[in-house]
Amino acid sequence: MRHRNRLMDSLAGFAAAAVALGVTELLAALAGTPSIVVSVGNVIVDRTPGPVVKWAIGLLGTNDKPFLLTTVTIASLALGFALGPFAGRRPVVGQVAFAVFGFIGVLAGATDPLTGYGASFWIAVPAALLGWVVLRYLLQLATPEAAPSASMPGSTPASMPGRGVADRRKFLAFAGAATGGAAVAAFSGQFLTTRVDVEEQRAAVELPTIEGSPPPQNIGLNVDGLSPYITPNDDFYRIDTALVVPRVDASTWRLRITGLVDEPYELTFADLADMATIEESVTISCVSNEVGGRLVGNAIWLGVPLAKVLERAGVQDGATQIVGRSVDGFTVGFPTEVALDGRSSMIAIGMNGEPLPAEHGFPARLIVPGLYGYVSATKWLQEIELTRLEDFDAYWIPRGWAKEAPIKTQSRIDVPRGSNVTAGMNPIAGIAWAGIRSVDKVEVRITPVDQDRDANQEWITARLSEELTQSSWRQWVVEWDARPGEYYLEVRATDGDGVTQTEQRSEPAPDGATGWHMRRVRVREAGA
Ligand SMILES: Nc1nc2c(c(=O)[nH]1)N[C@H]1C(S)=C(S)[C@@H](COP(=O)(O)O)O[C@H]1N2
Ligand SMILES: [Mo]
């Protein structure tokens, strides 16, 4: 018997694995459930030791889904490639490999509450079967009995003229088509989720008007280069694990209130629009925001007080945690008291006078003043579940981020924009925020680079913009008569409790960065 061609067997394994993965992506999209490939990644994360997770968040911050998807995909394809030659020699290897593939897929898929065992079975099992069929067929085409030895050109037996060459071509054509088809299946899966025309739906929404709500324009200081008081929707930072923005059909969408409540119920988008009574300026921030970073924004959110929604459901004793679930399976969790302590925790349906943009959670999201987004701000909200703090850890908790995460006081220098300014009057300006504690004072320190900053105790108090709520940021500005030279500019804010932000530098993980933002600028002679 001739030797099998290892490379062809490997390619067969690779193509078969691709087909299986592509089919799971397509079927999951058709079923409207999360990607099983990502579920497998999630299961791996859940079982990964803390230190590895800690290291990974340094690299990935609060967006790991593309990483999970690529890692699991590459690992599966590599495994297919590696197992191909073994399956070529012993068909049982291929059978076992795809049985295991299907089994892992079903189990991992079922860990996601949005998939469950039923859907998971009907996605992973057909995918595994199809992968196995493709493997068998390709291995058959690659079987050397039918092919001439590649090392002896022209040795084709007269009894089967050209048949080996034809089969090799057929092999390559089929393997290529299978891999290509798998990629097409995976991508069309991604696009299926974008069928709903969200822009059309948004245009049709009529948001209620709330008495006395702040106008989204013309608030705050007007300094060239300073972030506007209200961040326009188009400029608002975006952070989520969604590979494709979920397109939710607001006409069939329901928000479920479940868990430890007397009376679980559902709300439609129209119900929420009827119940909306607050419109408030709230600053939200990402926990992965570095000192001086731009993962923070201030918008006027319109919505329904969370307390009102909970009251109607009747929160049971011991329900210490509120879990917000997204249509894409993402979850947050925060203490129930945060919804009831008087801050404007809400189910938001409007952002700066418009329905929520698709990227920011249309049709509804959670906004909880004073908490970082990853524990509170579920976009594309689908379920609010009451549970106990010890009974559920939301998406980012097993990934090494803190369970409770109030926003830390931070300040940022926006102006001067670049690192060069001309001597004379120059504004130094920026923003400062302090969760729900409000910003009371912002100070700036200007130290020539050749002097000791610690010795310089001259902090200049900045002029502050008005503050729409205690949960909104404030802009600040200091007029600086800059003399030629090189300087360090530093800023620090003091919150409404009189606590000044710490100088101690710390990384975003696990519960938010600290430290004073510092910039180095060179002042040049006017006309130089
Ligand atoms: N569905 C969903 N909601 C989510 C997230 C997510 O990954 N998925 N990320 C959260 C995080 S980490 C942040 S910081 C905020 C960001 O909200 P924005 O994109 O509207 O600025 O959304 C939160 N809500
Ligand atoms: Mo975040």
Side-chain angles (χ1 to χ4, degrees):
M1 193 172 115
R2 293 203 186 119
H3 284 301
R4 297 188 59 94
N5 182 322
R6 275 188 72 92
L7 180 61
M8 281 171 84
D9 287 353
S10 286
L11 288 178
F14 178 93
V19 165
L21 290 178
V23 170
T24 62
E25 285 295 290
L26 179 63
L27 291 179
L30 287 170
T33 58
S35 156
I36 293 220
V37 178
V38 171
S39 295
V40 171
N42 287 336
V43 169
I44 295 171
V45 169
D46 283 345
R47 279 154 213 270
T48 305
V52 180
V53 170
K54 285 234 160 68
W55 167 80
I57 55 178
L59 300 174
L60 303 168
T62 42
N63 191 348
D64 68 344
K65 213 177 254 180
F67 175 80
L68 289 181
L69 197 66
T70 13
T71 316
V72 175
T73 303
I74 290 174
S76 310
L77 295 178
L79 211 60
F81 191 86
L83 285 179
F86 295 98
R89 267 175 273 143
R90 305 191 48 197
V92 69
V93 174
Q95 287 160 17
V96 170
F98 277 100
V100 170
F101 176 100
F103 191 65
I104 291 178
V106 173
L107 285 188
T111 60
D112 195 310
L114 292 175
T115 312
Y117 273 104
S120 188
F121 180 90
W122 287 111
I123 293 167
V125 171
L129 273 175
L130 203 65
W132 175 67
V133 168
V134 167
L135 178 72
R136 265 192 50 154
Y137 183 62
L138 282 172
L139 287 176
Q140 206 177 312
L141 288 181
T143 299
E145 271 81 8
S149 163
S151 58
M152 302 202 297
S155 72
T156 312
S159 56
M160 28 175 175
R163 184 166 157 210
V165 176
D167 271 6
R168 184 164 298 193
R169 259 195 216 130
K170 207 164 151 195
F171 173 90
L172 287 175
F174 190 80
T179 311
V184 169
F187 281 108
S188 32
Q190 299 292 323
F191 284 109
L192 276 175
T193 47
T194 66
R195 276 172 306 183
V196 179
D197 189 343
V198 169
E199 284 322 307
E200 195 176 80
Q201 294 210 0
R202 290 181 71 234
V205 169
E206 258 196 65
L207 290 179
T209 41
I210 311 292
E211 200 71 43
S213 46
Q217 279 100 33
N218 306 324
I219 305 172
L221 305 176
N222 196 356
V223 177
D224 224 23
L226 171 62
S227 304
Y229 191 81
I230 303 295
T231 315
N233 291 354
D234 287 345
D235 299 340
F236 209 93
Y237 83 94
R238 175 188 164 201
I239 291 282
D240 52 61
T241 61
L243 295 167
V244 176
V245 176
R247 307 269 155 185
V248 177
D249 184 346
S251 63
T252 55
W253 172 88
R254 297 287 184 275
L255 172 63
R256 298 193 300 271
I257 323 295
T258 64
L260 300 175
V261 292
D262 295 335
E263 211 110 6
Y265 67 103
E266 288 187 352
L267 291 167
T268 64
F269 185 75
D271 292 335
L272 285 178
D274 283 343
M275 292 164 73
T277 53
I278 42 176
E279 188 161 33
E280 270 197 24
S281 163
V282 176
T283 295
I284 67 167
S285 166
C286 186
V287 69
S288 9
N289 194 42
E290 307 270 352
V291 170
R294 310 203 73 87
L295 301 180
V296 56
N298 188 53
I300 295 173
W301 307 96
L302 164 79
V304 184
L306 197 47
K308 193 155 136 186
V309 171
L310 295 183
E311 199 181 326
R312 182 169 149 194
V315 175
Q316 293 177 351
D317 286 345
T320 46
Q321 182 174 215
I322 297 178
V323 170
R325 256 179 235 288
S326 163
V327 300
D328 68 353
F330 175 82
T331 50
V332 303
F334 54 91
T336 306
E337 66 206 35
V338 164
L340 309 170
D341 66 3
R343 71 182 82 184
S344 301
S345 304
M346 67 171 107
I347 298 162
I349 57 169
M351 180 178 184
N352 293 332
E354 284 177 30
L356 292 178
E359 312 81 69
H360 296 291
F362 181 84
R365 73 177 301 172
L366 285 169
I367 290 292
V368 180
L371 298 189
Y372 285 117
Y374 81 102
V375 290
S376 67
T378 312
K379 303 191 275 188
W380 316 290
L381 183 67
Q382 160 168 290
E383 182 181 350
I384 292 172
E385 186 194 352
L386 275 293
T387 176
R388 302 190 310 166
L389 282 164
E390 58 271 35
D391 286 349
F392 182 76
D393 284 335
Y395 191 85
W396 284 108
I397 313 311
R399 289 162 169 78
W401 295 89
K403 175 110 182 179
E404 299 209 15
I407 294 179
K408 294 180 180 172
T409 303
Q410 280 196 34
S411 46
R412 184 180 81 199
I413 303 169
D414 285 349
V415 180
R417 275 253 136 133
S419 46
N420 288 297
V421 301
T422 309
M425 289 309 288
N426 279 284
I428 303 171
I431 52 170
W433 63 99
I436 57 171
R437 299 174 297 279
S438 89
V439 170
D440 249 20
K441 183 159 79 170
V442 173
E443 298 162 293
V444 170
R445 178 163 72 175
I446 306 165
T447 315
V449 292
D450 53 11
Q451 283 174 28
D452 180 7
R453 276 182 292 123
D454 290 335
N456 176 9
Q457 287 307 314
E458 200 188 321
W459 286 91
I460 306 163
T461 303
R463 183 159 64 88
L464 298 176
S465 70
E466 65 184 304
E467 163 186 77
L468 284 182
T469 66
Q470 298 200 343
S471 314
S472 320
W473 66 22
R474 290 181 99 156
Q475 299 163 306
W476 54 265
V477 62
V478 162
E479 294 300 337
W480 178 31
D481 190 2
R483 307 281 159 79
E486 273 198 73
Y487 302 88
Y488 286 118
L489 309 181
E490 292 167 284
V491 63
R492 67 178 188 194
T494 300
D495 71 14
D497 299 335
V499 180
T500 301
Q501 75 181 93
T502 175
E503 179 180 13
Q504 188 82 42
R505 279 263 173 175
S506 68
E507 291 302 305
D511 63 356
T514 61
W516 297 338
H517 188 207
M518 182 171 79
R519 296 262 313 273
R520 190 183 165 131
V521 293
R522 179 195 300 271
V523 181
R524 298 183 208 234
E525 208 87 56

